[in-house]
mmCIF file of all heavy atoms in Angstrom:
data_model
loop_
_atom_site.group_PDB
_atom_site.id
_atom_site.type_symbol
_atom_site.label_atom_id
_atom_site.label_comp_id
_atom_site.label_asym_id
_atom_site.label_seq_id
_atom_site.Cartn_x
_atom_site.Cartn_y
_atom_site.Cartn_z
ATOM 1 N N VAL A 37 -2.575 -1.030 4.506
ATOM 2 C CA VAL A 37 -1.550 0.006 4.817
ATOM 3 C C VAL A 37 -0.661 -0.351 5.960
ATOM 4 O O VAL A 37 0.518 -0.299 5.957
ATOM 5 C CB VAL A 37 -2.285 1.406 5.249
ATOM 6 C CG1 VAL A 37 -1.292 2.419 5.655
ATOM 7 C CG2 VAL A 37 -3.117 1.936 4.028
ATOM 8 N N ILE A 38 -1.246 -0.889 7.086
ATOM 9 C CA ILE A 38 -0.429 -1.197 8.246
ATOM 10 C C ILE A 38 0.477 -2.448 7.974
ATOM 11 O O ILE A 38 1.684 -2.443 8.190
ATOM 12 C CB ILE A 38 -1.356 -1.494 9.421
ATOM 13 C CG1 ILE A 38 -2.089 -0.262 9.821
ATOM 14 C CG2 ILE A 38 -0.549 -2.126 10.616
ATOM 15 C CD1 ILE A 38 -3.109 -0.491 10.985
ATOM 16 N N ASN A 39 -0.021 -3.382 7.227
ATOM 17 C CA ASN A 39 0.822 -4.659 6.812
ATOM 18 C C ASN A 39 1.809 -4.201 5.943
ATOM 19 O O ASN A 39 2.963 -4.550 6.070
ATOM 20 C CB ASN A 39 -0.099 -5.678 6.183
ATOM 21 C CG ASN A 39 -1.003 -6.321 7.191
ATOM 22 O OD1 ASN A 39 -0.732 -6.329 8.415
ATOM 23 N ND2 ASN A 39 -2.074 -6.917 6.689
ATOM 24 N N PHE A 40 1.610 -3.298 4.975
ATOM 25 C CA PHE A 40 2.656 -2.713 4.085
ATOM 26 C C PHE A 40 3.771 -2.085 4.811
ATOM 27 O O PHE A 40 4.930 -2.149 4.547
ATOM 28 C CB PHE A 40 1.993 -1.753 3.025
ATOM 29 C CG PHE A 40 2.978 -1.151 2.151
ATOM 30 C CD1 PHE A 40 3.448 -1.817 1.033
ATOM 31 C CD2 PHE A 40 3.326 0.214 2.306
ATOM 32 C CE1 PHE A 40 4.386 -1.190 0.185
ATOM 33 C CE2 PHE A 40 4.221 0.782 1.381
ATOM 34 C CZ PHE A 40 4.721 0.075 0.351
ATOM 35 N N ALA A 41 3.353 -1.165 5.825
ATOM 36 C CA ALA A 41 4.326 -0.465 6.509
ATOM 37 C C ALA A 41 5.215 -1.270 7.460
ATOM 38 O O ALA A 41 6.344 -1.039 7.769
ATOM 39 C CB ALA A 41 3.558 0.563 7.506
ATOM 40 N N LEU A 42 4.729 -2.423 7.915
ATOM 41 C CA LEU A 42 5.479 -3.247 8.805
ATOM 42 C C LEU A 42 6.071 -4.481 8.249
ATOM 43 O O LEU A 42 6.787 -5.158 8.851
ATOM 44 C CB LEU A 42 4.350 -3.798 9.912
ATOM 45 C CG LEU A 42 3.701 -2.828 10.785
ATOM 46 C CD1 LEU A 42 2.777 -3.331 11.709
ATOM 47 C CD2 LEU A 42 4.814 -1.997 11.510
ATOM 48 N N SER A 43 5.960 -4.757 6.951
ATOM 49 C CA SER A 43 6.534 -5.936 6.235
ATOM 50 C C SER A 43 7.144 -5.501 4.955
ATOM 51 O O SER A 43 6.536 -4.734 4.217
ATOM 52 C CB SER A 43 5.485 -6.964 6.127
ATOM 53 O OG SER A 43 5.963 -8.058 5.304
ATOM 54 N N GLU A 44 8.203 -6.118 4.520
ATOM 55 C CA GLU A 44 8.795 -5.877 3.301
ATOM 56 C C GLU A 44 8.099 -6.672 2.113
ATOM 57 O O GLU A 44 8.239 -6.413 0.977
ATOM 58 C CB GLU A 44 10.255 -6.358 3.321
ATOM 59 C CG GLU A 44 11.121 -5.501 4.086
ATOM 60 C CD GLU A 44 12.571 -5.983 4.173
ATOM 61 O OE1 GLU A 44 12.949 -6.761 3.247
ATOM 62 O OE2 GLU A 44 13.286 -5.626 5.066
ATOM 63 N N ASN A 45 7.199 -7.638 2.515
ATOM 64 C CA ASN A 45 6.627 -8.525 1.489
ATOM 65 C C ASN A 45 5.119 -8.188 1.176
ATOM 66 O O ASN A 45 4.515 -8.762 0.335
ATOM 67 C CB ASN A 45 6.664 -9.911 1.948
ATOM 68 C CG ASN A 45 8.075 -10.464 2.216
ATOM 69 O OD1 ASN A 45 8.922 -10.083 1.338
ATOM 70 N ND2 ASN A 45 8.293 -11.171 3.267
ATOM 71 N N GLU A 46 4.507 -7.144 1.937
ATOM 72 C CA GLU A 46 3.260 -6.798 1.702
ATOM 73 C C GLU A 46 3.048 -5.894 0.495
ATOM 74 O O GLU A 46 3.880 -5.125 0.180
ATOM 75 C CB GLU A 46 2.549 -6.301 2.952
ATOM 76 C CG GLU A 46 2.413 -7.257 4.079
ATOM 77 C CD GLU A 46 1.450 -8.355 3.797
ATOM 78 O OE1 GLU A 46 0.428 -8.107 3.148
ATOM 79 O OE2 GLU A 46 1.637 -9.512 4.320
ATOM 80 N N ILE A 47 1.811 -5.840 -0.072
ATOM 81 C CA ILE A 47 1.481 -5.004 -1.252
ATOM 82 C C ILE A 47 0.446 -3.982 -0.795
ATOM 83 O O ILE A 47 -0.528 -4.294 -0.214
ATOM 84 C CB ILE A 47 1.002 -5.787 -2.402
ATOM 85 C CG1 ILE A 47 1.981 -6.772 -2.959
ATOM 86 C CG2 ILE A 47 0.478 -4.783 -3.548
ATOM 87 C CD1 ILE A 47 1.557 -7.755 -3.957
ATOM 88 N N LEU A 48 0.754 -2.730 -1.034
ATOM 89 C CA LEU A 48 -0.175 -1.651 -0.769
ATOM 90 C C LEU A 48 -1.203 -1.592 -2.006
ATOM 91 O O LEU A 48 -0.692 -1.444 -3.092
ATOM 92 C CB LEU A 48 0.558 -0.265 -0.679
ATOM 93 C CG LEU A 48 -0.232 0.936 -0.219
ATOM 94 C CD1 LEU A 48 -0.880 0.720 1.100
ATOM 95 C CD2 LEU A 48 0.655 2.128 -0.189
ATOM 96 N N LYS A 49 -2.463 -1.562 -1.688
ATOM 97 C CA LYS A 49 -3.435 -1.598 -2.701
ATOM 98 C C LYS A 49 -4.314 -0.256 -2.706
ATOM 99 O O LYS A 49 -4.540 0.178 -1.488
ATOM 100 C CB LYS A 49 -4.251 -2.828 -2.628
ATOM 101 C CG LYS A 49 -3.514 -4.125 -2.615
ATOM 102 C CD LYS A 49 -4.447 -5.314 -2.380
ATOM 103 C CE LYS A 49 -3.532 -6.593 -2.364
ATOM 104 N NZ LYS A 49 -4.311 -7.643 -1.916
ATOM 105 N N GLY A 50 -4.865 0.177 -3.708
ATOM 106 C CA GLY A 50 -5.820 1.244 -3.676
ATOM 107 C C GLY A 50 -6.499 1.544 -4.934
ATOM 108 O O GLY A 50 -6.119 1.058 -6.039
ATOM 109 N N ILE A 51 -7.543 2.314 -4.782
ATOM 110 C CA ILE A 51 -8.378 2.840 -5.992
ATOM 111 C C ILE A 51 -8.588 4.279 -5.679
ATOM 112 O O ILE A 51 -9.013 4.697 -4.544
ATOM 113 C CB ILE A 51 -9.728 2.099 -6.035
ATOM 114 C CG1 ILE A 51 -9.451 0.493 -6.312
ATOM 115 C CG2 ILE A 51 -10.591 2.710 -7.083
ATOM 116 C CD1 ILE A 51 -10.747 -0.196 -6.308
ATOM 117 N N PHE A 52 -8.219 5.090 -6.753
ATOM 118 C CA PHE A 52 -8.334 6.537 -6.634
ATOM 119 C C PHE A 52 -9.125 7.166 -7.827
ATOM 120 O O PHE A 52 -8.727 6.676 -8.940
ATOM 121 C CB PHE A 52 -6.907 7.183 -6.481
ATOM 122 C CG PHE A 52 -6.104 6.696 -5.241
ATOM 123 C CD1 PHE A 52 -5.210 5.669 -5.480
ATOM 124 C CD2 PHE A 52 -6.455 7.222 -4.045
ATOM 125 C CE1 PHE A 52 -4.466 5.213 -4.462
ATOM 126 C CE2 PHE A 52 -5.684 6.665 -3.020
ATOM 127 C CZ PHE A 52 -4.694 5.771 -3.096
ATOM 128 N N PHE A 53 -9.842 8.130 -7.562
ATOM 129 C CA PHE A 53 -10.508 8.985 -8.615
ATOM 130 C C PHE A 53 -10.021 10.342 -8.394
ATOM 131 O O PHE A 53 -10.294 10.900 -7.391
ATOM 132 C CB PHE A 53 -12.014 8.848 -8.457
ATOM 133 C CG PHE A 53 -12.503 7.424 -8.472
ATOM 134 C CD1 PHE A 53 -12.683 6.613 -7.389
ATOM 135 C CD2 PHE A 53 -12.799 6.833 -9.758
ATOM 136 C CE1 PHE A 53 -13.115 5.272 -7.461
ATOM 137 C CE2 PHE A 53 -13.247 5.495 -9.804
ATOM 138 C CZ PHE A 53 -13.388 4.758 -8.725
ATOM 139 N N VAL A 54 -9.396 10.951 -9.418
ATOM 140 C CA VAL A 54 -8.907 12.336 -9.392
ATOM 141 C C VAL A 54 -9.470 13.193 -10.407
ATOM 142 O O VAL A 54 -9.526 12.769 -11.473
ATOM 143 C CB VAL A 54 -7.358 12.221 -9.487
ATOM 144 C CG1 VAL A 54 -6.768 13.698 -9.550
ATOM 145 C CG2 VAL A 54 -6.657 11.338 -8.480
ATOM 146 N N ASP A 55 -9.814 14.370 -9.963
ATOM 147 C CA ASP A 55 -10.369 15.456 -10.814
ATOM 148 C C ASP A 55 -9.395 16.595 -10.696
ATOM 149 O O ASP A 55 -9.030 16.926 -9.681
ATOM 150 C CB ASP A 55 -11.776 15.877 -10.374
ATOM 151 C CG ASP A 55 -12.956 14.820 -10.639
ATOM 152 O OD1 ASP A 55 -12.976 14.423 -11.883
ATOM 153 O OD2 ASP A 55 -13.586 14.397 -9.699
ATOM 154 N N SER A 56 -9.036 17.241 -11.822
ATOM 155 C CA SER A 56 -8.222 18.436 -11.820
ATOM 156 C C SER A 56 -8.613 19.386 -12.956
ATOM 157 O O SER A 56 -8.942 18.846 -14.061
ATOM 158 C CB SER A 56 -6.719 17.923 -12.015
ATOM 159 O OG SER A 56 -5.836 19.025 -12.148
ATOM 160 N N GLU A 57 -8.487 20.551 -12.625
ATOM 161 C CA GLU A 57 -8.707 21.612 -13.669
ATOM 162 C C GLU A 57 -7.448 21.767 -14.511
ATOM 163 O O GLU A 57 -7.491 21.985 -15.599
ATOM 164 C CB GLU A 57 -8.965 22.997 -12.964
ATOM 165 C CG GLU A 57 -10.393 23.113 -12.274
ATOM 166 C CD GLU A 57 -11.480 22.937 -13.259
ATOM 167 O OE1 GLU A 57 -11.353 23.600 -14.363
ATOM 168 O OE2 GLU A 57 -12.489 22.282 -12.940
ATOM 169 N N PHE A 58 -6.232 21.575 -13.882
ATOM 170 C CA PHE A 58 -4.968 21.820 -14.586
ATOM 171 C C PHE A 58 -3.831 20.989 -13.836
ATOM 172 O O PHE A 58 -3.704 21.108 -12.738
ATOM 173 C CB PHE A 58 -4.569 23.325 -14.562
ATOM 174 C CG PHE A 58 -3.236 23.597 -15.209
ATOM 175 C CD1 PHE A 58 -3.106 23.523 -16.564
ATOM 176 C CD2 PHE A 58 -2.101 23.869 -14.461
ATOM 177 C CE1 PHE A 58 -1.923 23.748 -17.191
ATOM 178 C CE2 PHE A 58 -0.891 24.127 -15.009
ATOM 179 C CZ PHE A 58 -0.861 24.106 -16.491
ATOM 180 N N ILE A 59 -3.051 20.337 -14.697
ATOM 181 C CA ILE A 59 -1.780 19.675 -14.152
ATOM 182 C C ILE A 59 -0.664 20.068 -15.022
ATOM 183 O O ILE A 59 -0.637 19.875 -16.286
ATOM 184 C CB ILE A 59 -1.940 18.140 -14.186
ATOM 185 C CG1 ILE A 59 -3.085 17.671 -13.358
ATOM 186 C CG2 ILE A 59 -0.696 17.443 -13.903
ATOM 187 C CD1 ILE A 59 -3.299 16.120 -13.214
#
Side-chain angles (χ1 to χ4, degrees):
V37 176
I38 294 173
N39 290 335
F40 176 79
L42 298 176
S43 173
E44 294 180 14
N45 299 321
E46 293 293 327
I47 297 173
L48 184 62
K49 301 172 185 174
I51 296 176
F52 301 99
F53 301 92
V54 177
D55 290 303
S56 176
E57 293 291 322
F58 178 74
I59 294 179

